[in-house]
Amino acid sequence: MNAEPCGSCSEISTEAIQLDTCTFQDSALSPLLFDLFIKALLRLLDSTGISHRVRGVPDWNHRAFADDLLLYVSTTEDANTLLNIESAFQEWGGPKLSIKKSLVIGTL
């Protein structure tokens, strides 16, 4: 990252905080930065209007816990749409999808 964010609390501001290429996993900032990135992806997924379409269940297309993301769809086209969004998000700078840890289950 080449950005130079600064922190502020009330009227007190800090100097620029340099983030070189990444934040180490042991850093206190890691969970906060991850939450900020993942929230952007979850909002993108919500904005599609795609749903699992199970009758009698509230509409949604994803569930997230920690660094796990589950996508729920009812058609192959919907699956491709959500995966394209996730792919574009990765290109933008979000967390990378681990193919080794990925699984497709169900019927489309």
Side-chain angles (χ1 to χ4, degrees):
M1 296 180 153
N2 293 327
E4 292 186 8
C6 63
S8 66
C9 179
S10 297
E11 295 179 24
I12 302 169
S13 294
T14 67
E15 293 295 321
I17 302 168
Q18 180 63 40
L19 299 177
D20 294 327
T21 56
C22 65
T23 301
F24 294 103
Q25 205 153 1
D26 293 338
S27 170
L29 288 177
S30 290
L32 176 61
L33 292 174
F34 179 80
D35 285 347
L36 291 173
F37 272 98
I38 201 70
K39 186 67 173 179
L41 174 61
L42 299 181
R43 285 183 176 211
L44 281 171
L45 296 173
D46 280 338
S47 72
T48 65
I50 292 173
S51 169
H52 53 71
R53 295 192 183 119
V54 175
R55 280 179 265 158
V57 178
D59 286 339
W60 38 265
N61 61 24
H62 66 272
R63 288 290 180 244
F65 179 77
D67 64 348
D68 294 330
L69 177 64
L70 305 168
L71 300 177
Y72 297 88
V73 297
S74 60
T75 67
T76 302
E77 181 181 341
D78 288 350
N80 287 332
T81 298
L82 294 186
L83 289 172
N84 287 335
I85 288 171
E86 204 285 328
S87 178
F89 182 75
Q90 285 183 58
E91 292 297 317
W92 174 72
K96 302 294 185 232
L97 182 69
S98 173
I99 299 300
K100 294 187 303 185
K101 297 165 114 180
S102 298
L103 173 70
V104 176
I105 190 167
T107 59
L108 294 177

